[in-house]
Amino acid sequence: LELVFSYLELRELRSCALVCKLWHRVLHGDENSEVWRSLAARCLAEEALRTDILCNVPTYKGKVRAFHHAFSTNDCSRNVYIKKNGFTLHRNPIAQSTDGARTKIGFSEGRHAWEVWWEGPLGTVAVIGIATKRAAMQCQGYVALLGSDDQSWGWNLVDNNLLHNGEVNGSFPQCNNAPKYQIGERIRVILDMEDKTLAFERGYEFLGVAFRGLPKVCLYPAVSAVYGNTEVTLVYLGKPLDG
């Protein structure tokens, strides 16, 4: 069974898992089985597998899942493109424009975590957070695009402000002399659709809940950037680990 399954694509594997308990156990009992190794080798770029992009995704099944939750090449500003590794957004040096991107898959239930980090200068505005499908992913000028309307919620890493509906919802994290974001530092975003909250972690430090009372709609991980040639990487981690 494992040999046969190793030739199938994800959609076919999902159907196979519903056939019987044995097939389900073969597919999901070992997340590093040859089934998931083969699928990862086919759908993920070599760069994503041999670099540290997916270092916090320990299993091949998790790596495949992260790829399917990565930035969408069809749901982003025309001024950005997704690099060949499949996880990194590159913003072209376009003057007087703010540009964003959403992931391929959004969430309307459950608990989810993903990592985001900048691999270039932040510029004057660099926002991470969530957005509905209706939120704009491009606008004129250098602004906090994510959080500029009632369809998105964001944390500006430059000035540590929380943004929603075009307003500042306070500073974050709520502590004196909060450290500024450092290039390459991984921020973990935690979306809880059951409690309707959005929270952040830096390293292994829980920074607190940033937004409460999120609507019961489909919400997508998203970012917006202004600096030319800056790059932002987003990796979906799955269900957050408590504690």
Side-chain angles (χ1 to χ4, degrees):
L1 279 173
E2 196 170 298
L3 177 61
V4 173
F5 289 159
S6 67
Y7 288 95
L8 303 182
E9 298 305 318
L10 184 60
R11 181 175 296 180
E12 298 165 325
L13 292 175
R14 286 172 175 162
S15 298
C16 289
L18 300 175
V19 171
C20 65
K21 291 182 179 179
L22 173 60
W23 286 26
H24 185 278
R25 187 165 62 249
V26 170
L27 283 171
H28 298 294
D30 180 5
E31 295 195 356
N32 281 313
S33 69
E34 186 58 33
V35 178
W36 298 110
R37 286 174 180 267
S38 298
L39 186 56
R42 292 198 303 274
C43 70
L44 271 71
E46 182 181 351
E47 179 186 348
L49 291 172
R50 63 179 171 82
T51 64
D52 66 349
I53 289 176
L54 298 173
C55 65
N56 290 330
V57 185
T59 69
Y60 282 97
K61 181 182 177 182
K63 297 179 196 297
V64 171
R65 180 176 56 202
F67 172 75
H68 286 279
H69 283 81
F71 283 127
S72 171
T73 57
N74 301 316
D75 195 9
C76 57
S77 166
R78 63 181 180 274
N79 298 323
V80 307
Y81 66 86
I82 310 305
K83 296 181 67 176
K84 290 182 179 180
N85 65 31
F87 296 90
T88 302
L89 170 157
H90 180 101
R91 183 191 178 276
N92 292 321
I94 306 298
Q96 291 299 316
S97 179
T98 300
D99 306 286
R102 269 181 292 258
T103 56
K104 303 168 189 172
I105 298 175
F107 311 109
S108 57
E109 59 184 19
R111 301 173 66 234
H112 307 272
W114 60 93
E115 290 181 329
V116 185
W117 66 95
W118 248 255
E119 299 184 50
L122 300 181
T124 55
V125 185
V127 188
I128 62 176
I130 52 175
T132 71
K133 204 70 171 178
R134 295 169 56 192
M137 287 292 109
Q138 192 275 330
C139 70
Q140 294 298 311
Y142 302 132
V143 301
L145 177 58
L146 206 63
S148 64
D149 57 21
D150 64 353
Q151 300 297 310
S152 58
W153 297 256
W155 175 24
N156 185 4
L157 300 178
V158 176
D159 58 16
N160 282 341
N161 282 335
L162 295 176
L163 308 163
H164 175 59
N165 203 20
E167 300 177 349
V168 174
N169 287 20
S171 60
F172 186 85
Q174 294 181 345
C175 61
N176 294 327
N177 301 317
K180 292 291 185 179
Y181 177 81
Q182 302 297 315
I183 299 300
E185 185 176 38
R186 298 191 181 206
I187 298 294
R188 185 168 296 164
V189 189
I190 303 170
L191 174 65
D192 190 330
M193 292 303 295
E194 309 309 317
D195 287 344
K196 302 178 182 179
T197 60
L198 186 71
F200 296 94
E201 292 180 355
R202 178 189 282 118
Y204 292 99
E205 178 188 3
F206 182 68
L207 299 178
V209 173
F211 294 100
R212 300 181 185 274
L214 298 174
K216 195 68 174 180
V217 296
C218 190
L219 298 172
Y220 294 76
V223 303
S224 65
V226 299
Y227 199 89
N229 292 322
T230 196
E231 296 185 342
V232 189
T233 302
L234 185 150
V235 175
Y236 180 72
L237 302 175
K239 185 178 179 179
L241 298 176
D242 294 324

